[in-house]
Amino acid sequence: MASATFLILVAAASLLASFAQADLQYGYYNTTCPGVEKLVRTELEAIFAADSTLRAGLLRLHFHDCFVRGCDASLMLNSHNGTAEKHADPNLTVRGYEAIEAIKEVVEKACPLVVSCADIMAMAARDAVNFSAGPHYEVETGRRDGNVSMLEEALTNLPPADGNVTVLTEYFADKNLTMKDMVVLSAAHTIGVTHCSSFSKRLYNFTGAGDQDPSLEPAYGKTLTTKCPAEKMASVVPMDDVTVDKFDLGYYESVYNHRAVLRSDAALLDDSLTGAYVALMNNASSLDIFFADFAVAMINMGRAGVLTGTQGEIRETCGVYVD
């Protein structure tokens, strides 16, 4: 259970956020679809009971959606010709589409054409974190769904898995997110796995001479080569080897001890500011600061490029075809 300190910090952050983004509101559906957040949470509880790995999947789904055209559920859109966002290489391993559709179907029965897919995705990401022993924070709602989805935009807007701090900061800044938001949101990797192909260069050909990334702790590097032999790049490994399925500070412990899998995570130690935050969280005596920071960063990300008012649409089905 979160401490009183954490609850106070999140409440203060939520109050400030409500003034900062007038187009989104807390409790936006209080009159038009009362109880929708409880309905979403109840459906997710059953979904996660059947497949706990979808907790990380739905968090990633929300991230990848917000970084392309903003948080507008454009990632949910389908294409007969394979030209939608979900067909881009970085999105080929994204999971959770069916879960969002299942929740949307239930919500539609309760409140037809009222609640957007984009808002359901934001609620689902929050609940995925909470069901993983992470914080529970209020989600701003009022987003509407976009009807444009382009593969090329996913390729140019999603942060690269091997990016350094300068590159990552630029990608996040493009979404009005700060360096602190970046280092905090990176800790979403405290749950979930990644494919060996996402970091194989660090293991087998870091500089082009068949070498291993020297920033990777040698013993752990050897372990990874066992789990990711060159002929099995489709295999997966946890991104946080300390506590695989729990939303906690294990991610920062992994990064601090040079046991981060992705180069973009390991790179946080290369900058004095992001490195200082990693060290602070590695030495933290409680989860309060991290939980409060993560809640604020998620609220900030949830505002990226949102469609509100008469913009966009409310779809009956999230995964309609764009061609």
Side-chain angles (χ1 to χ4, degrees), residues 54-170:
L54 280 177
R55 295 178 303 191
L58 290 176
L59 180 55
R60 187 182 182 213
L61 185 72
H62 182 50
F63 271 66
H64 280 229
D65 181 56
C66 288
F67 267 82
V68 185
R69 304 191 74 86
C71 310
D72 67 345
S74 57
L75 181 53
M76 294 293 300
L77 293 169
N78 292 311
S79 166
H80 291 292
N81 298 319
T83 58
E85 291 172 30
K86 63 171 56 177
H87 300 293
D89 283 348
N91 287 330
L92 294 180
T93 55
V94 169
R95 302 173 61 234
Y97 301 109
E98 295 84 0
I100 297 298
E101 291 287 11
I103 297 168
K104 175 65 169 172
E105 183 177 355
V106 172
V107 171
E108 281 298 303
K109 291 178 181 178
C111 311
L113 296 178
V114 172
V115 182
S116 69
C117 298
D119 278 342
I120 290 174
M121 292 170 75
M123 296 177 207
R126 181 270 312 276
D127 292 343
V129 169
N130 189 229
F131 275 116
S132 301
H136 184 279
Y137 53 90
E138 294 302 311
V139 170
E140 295 176 327
T141 45
R143 300 169 188 79
R144 289 169 66 85
D145 299 325
N147 53 20
V148 176
S149 186
M150 301 173 64
L151 180 151
E152 294 82 3
E153 292 184 342
L155 295 176
T156 56
N157 283 275
L158 290 170
D162 60 353
N164 59 35
V165 170
T166 299
V167 169
L168 295 175
T169 301
E170 290 174 351

Side-chain angles (χ1 to χ4, degrees), residues 26 33 57 85 87 89 106 124 150 166 192 220 244 288 297 302-303 320:
Y26 294 104
C33 191
E85 291 172 30
H87 300 293
D89 283 348
V106 172
M150 301 173 64
T166 299
Y220 188 56
V244 179
D288 287 358
R303 298 178 188 150
V320 299

Side-chain angles (χ1 to χ4, degrees), residues 190-227:
T190 192
I191 57 174
V193 299
T194 188
H195 287 79
C196 296
S197 57
S198 298
F199 61 93
S200 60
K201 183 178 179 181
R202 298 190 71 201
L203 297 180
Y204 297 109
N205 199 28
F206 186 65
T207 66
D211 55 342
Q212 193 167 99
D213 184 350
S215 71
L216 191 62
E217 195 271 320
Y220 188 56
K222 185 175 181 179
T223 297
L224 289 177
T225 58
T226 301
K227 295 180 178 180

Side-chain angles (χ1 to χ4, degrees), residues 1 5 21 45 62 64 72 156 170 183 226 252 255 257 314:
M1 180 178 294
T5 302
Q21 177 53 272
E45 187 170 14
H62 182 50
H64 280 229
D72 67 345
T156 56
E170 290 174 351
V183 69
T226 301
Y252 290 112
V255 174
N257 290 307
I314 303 295

Side-chain angles (χ1 to χ4, degrees), residues 247-263:
F247 201 91
D248 59 12
L249 296 171
Y251 166 82
Y252 290 112
E253 182 179 339
S254 294
V255 174
Y256 186 81
N257 290 307
H258 300 279
R259 295 168 67 92
V261 175
L262 298 180
R263 180 59 192 150

